[in-house]
């Protein structure tokens, strides 16, 4: 499959900042799935950095992580002084973010947070640059910008051009989420259980309530009073905040035994007519998207195809004849990239291009 970055028009840093000076950047959660990917993407996209600092919990102090060709020694978040740091890419879970993001923001450092801690806070913009870039301007109330849930990020990139063209009324989505979305220990659990089945060892369940190897689990996060899970609720409320509060959305979130790459079966009902051909052309021209849609063997994207890619892949575009103005799609992306680290770095690029880092703007 062709490499996506150039084909799917994801703009990098532009303008004079990129060539003049760089930022001091801290990555919190640098030993985790998302943190490691953040370091990789900062380097891949040549994000202008004078210094990159890797932070995690005390137990990881001194551990080494890669930043491009360089190796960084991990420091302890608890004892780190954020004064003089311009940007903090935070991916250490909701509890750590609740405590630390406002403190870090108060030092003047901009925090781009991957957890769910701040996403629905009205003082914090929730941003997917291809969809609602202007919302980032509201960052300065707490100096925090939130990154959406991985399933929401890839979904709204695909929905945005269709919504602009034919106005979405309702979306029904079923997710097929990989275990890397639950962190590095969940990947270990899939691996260990798979091995245990082959060598006849007992199955140990720690991260998931049911066996994940050779199984699927219709349960993400916690159950709510109405029967939905918090993972499903996040997709609904975050899509409304990012794209349009008038969109009705119902989700079923399912964990599948895939290491990396989330997939989504999406059914959309529009206000106005739109057919599959028009949708295909529109999506082909839209930022961040790669359409792989041939009605033949291998004519569609699967999670394995999207690992390490920047794009959100759209396949299986077809008319849903059971509703007026209906379309069905298959949307796949690397959850550690567009679903987390890439989106965070794109937000940083957006802020840099708009001159929103105060120290650089004053220089
Ligand atoms: N994975 C995804 O697809 C995805 C997508 C969107 C958002 N997110 C969010 O991103 C965050 C990180 O996810 P992940 O998948 O990278 O998890 P992970 O692989 O489990 O990594 C967690 C990271 O947080 C660090 N950490 C934990 N407690 C800490 C503490 N008290 N102080 C400092 N650092 C601490 C860990 O450091 P140690 O190694 O030292 O414990 C590790 O670096 C979560 O909020 C998650 O919801 C993930």
């Amino acid at each position: 499959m062709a490499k996506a970055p150039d084909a799917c028009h994801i703009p990098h840093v532009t303008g004079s900042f990129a060539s003049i000076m760089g930022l001091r950047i801290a990555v919190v959660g640098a030993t985790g799935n998302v943190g490691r990917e953040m370091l990789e993407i900062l380097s891949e996209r040549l994000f202008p950095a004078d210094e990159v600092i890797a932070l995690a919990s005390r137990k990881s102090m001194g551990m080494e992580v890669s930043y491009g060709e360089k190796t960084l020694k991990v420091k302890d978040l608890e004892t780190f002084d954020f004064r003089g740091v311009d940007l903090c890419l935070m991916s250490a879970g909701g509890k750590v973010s609740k405590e630390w993001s406002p403190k870090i923001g108060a030092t003047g450092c901009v925090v781009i947070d991957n957890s769910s801690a701040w996403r629905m806070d009205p003082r914090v913009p929730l941003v997917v640059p291809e969809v609602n870039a202007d919302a980032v301007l509201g960052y300065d109330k707490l100096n925090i910008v939130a990154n959406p849930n991985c399933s929401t990020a890839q979904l709204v990139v695909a929905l945005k051009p269709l919504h602009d063209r034919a106005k979405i009324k309702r979306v029904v989505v079923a997710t097929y989420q990989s275990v890397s979305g639950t962190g590095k220990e969940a990947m270990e659990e899939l691996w260990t259980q798979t091995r245990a089945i082959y060598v006849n060892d007992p199955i140990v369940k720690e991260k998931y309530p049911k066996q994940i190897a050779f199984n699927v689990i219709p349960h993400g996060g916690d159950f709510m009073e109405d029967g939905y899970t918090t993972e499903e609720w996040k997709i609904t409320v975050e899509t409304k905040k990012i794209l349009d509060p008038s969109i009705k959305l119902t989700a079923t979130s399912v964990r599948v035994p895939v290491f990396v790459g989330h997939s989504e079966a999406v059914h959309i009902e529009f206000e106005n007519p739109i057919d599959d051909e028009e949708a295909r052309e529109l999506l082909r021209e839209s930022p961040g998207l790669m359409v792989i849609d041939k009605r033949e063997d291998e004519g569609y994207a699967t999670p394995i195809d999207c690992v390490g890619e920047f794009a959100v892949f759209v396949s299986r575009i077809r008319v849903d004849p059971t509703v007026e103005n209906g379309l069905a799609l298959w949307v796949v992306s690397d959850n550690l990239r567009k679903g987390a680290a890439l989106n965070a770095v794109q937000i940083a690029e957006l802020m840099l291009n708009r001159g929103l880092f105060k120290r650089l703007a004053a220089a």
Side-chain angles (χ1 to χ4, degrees):
M1 183 180 294
K3 276 271 173 196
D6 295 324
C8 70
H9 336 287
I10 297 179
H12 289 222
V13 176
T14 56
S16 55
F17 289 121
S19 54
I20 295 172
M21 60 195 299
L23 303 179
R24 279 191 82 213
I25 305 171
V27 175
V28 177
T31 55
N33 275 343
V34 175
R36 284 175 191 272
E37 205 67 37
M38 280 171 166
L39 291 167
E40 175 71 33
I41 291 174
L42 284 170
S43 156
E44 251 178 59
R45 288 171 77 88
L46 305 175
F47 190 92
D50 280 351
E51 187 184 0
V52 177
I53 305 134
L55 300 170
S57 75
R58 182 157 306 164
K59 77 170 194 294
S60 302
M61 227 166 86
M63 220 176 121
E64 292 187 337
V65 289
S66 300
Y67 164 57
E69 304 278 284
K70 295 186 188 143
T71 301
L72 307 178
K73 274 224 179 344
V74 175
K75 297 183 178 168
D76 176 15
L77 169 66
E78 286 280 346
T79 54
F80 184 72
D81 182 354
F82 278 87
R83 282 173 298 178
V85 177
D86 304 289
L87 169 65
C88 172
L89 298 175
M90 171 76 89
S91 75
K95 201 161 153 256
V96 176
S97 178
K98 270 256 183 277
E99 180 189 345
W100 281 91
S101 295
K103 287 199 253 179
I104 299 169
T107 68
C109 174
V110 173
V111 179
I112 301 177
D113 181 43
N114 262 279
S115 79
S116 58
W118 302 97
R119 290 178 192 151
M120 296 314 293
D121 190 309
R123 298 164 298 175
V124 173
L126 178 62
V127 178
V128 174
E130 294 90 341
V131 181
N132 65 338
D134 289 345
V136 83
L137 297 171
Y139 78 100
D140 57 356
K141 293 183 193 73
L142 295 181
N143 266 349
I144 303 174
V145 182
N147 215 42
N149 175 270
C150 32
S151 303
T152 312
Q154 67 184 62
L155 179 66
V156 293
V157 174
L159 293 183
K160 162 78 173 160
L162 300 172
H163 186 52
D164 287 348
R165 163 69 188 79
K167 196 158 185 357
I168 296 172
K169 280 187 355 195
R170 178 169 180 259
V171 180
V172 180
V173 56
T175 70
Y176 304 69
Q177 297 176 224
S178 68
V179 294
S180 58
T182 328
K184 55 187 176 178
E185 287 164 9
M187 295 177 83
E188 188 66 33
E189 184 154 314
L190 171 57
W191 167 246
T192 314
Q193 287 184 358
T194 306
R195 186 188 165 280
I197 285 164
Y198 281 110
V199 300
N200 218 13
D201 274 353
I203 296 285
V204 180
K205 293 176 288 193
E206 277 166 2
K207 296 302 284 184
Y208 297 114
K210 293 222 179 202
Q211 175 184 318
I212 184 66
F214 303 99
N215 202 6
V216 298
I217 308 175
H219 173 189
D222 300 318
F223 278 100
M224 299 169 57
E225 251 177 38
D226 61 3
Y228 282 84
T229 63
T230 47
E231 196 74 7
E232 292 159 349
W233 173 82
K234 285 176 195 170
I235 303 176
T236 302
V237 293
E238 292 177 18
T239 299
K240 285 174 180 284
K241 181 165 175 179
I242 297 166
L243 189 53
D244 187 339
S246 74
I247 293 175
K248 292 180 181 158
L249 188 148
T250 180
T252 301
S253 295
V254 183
R255 194 68 60 183
V256 297
V258 167
F259 281 103
V260 179
H262 285 4
S263 307
E264 297 173 336
V266 187
H267 288 256
I268 315 165
E269 213 178 319
F270 295 90
E271 197 86 48
N272 303 308
I274 180 166
D275 67 19
D276 50 338
E277 269 182 40
E278 188 181 0
R280 196 173 294 110
E281 284 317 305
L282 199 57
L283 293 169
R284 255 194 197 120
E285 296 304 316
S286 300
L289 290 170
M290 179 78 125
V291 173
I292 310 276
D293 193 22
K294 291 201 172 136
R295 292 169 178 178
E296 60 189 37
D297 292 356
E298 298 189 61
Y300 44 83
T302 62
I304 281 172
D305 305 317
C306 73
V307 175
E309 299 284 353
F310 286 151
V312 172
F313 292 82
V314 186
S315 304
R316 305 288 324 278
I317 303 166
R318 60 215 192 271
V319 168
D320 175 356
T322 63
V323 291
E324 206 180 338
N325 305 327
L327 279 182
L329 324 168
W330 174 249
V331 179
V332 190
S333 194
D334 182 330
N335 53 294
L336 299 176
R337 293 204 149 210
K338 187 59 196 170
L342 171 64
N343 198 67
V345 173
Q346 282 178 284
I347 294 171
E349 290 169 352
L350 173 69
M351 296 186 74
L352 195 63
N353 287 335
R354 293 194 179 195
L356 299 178
F357 289 103
K358 295 204 171 85
R359 188 174 62 86
L360 296 201

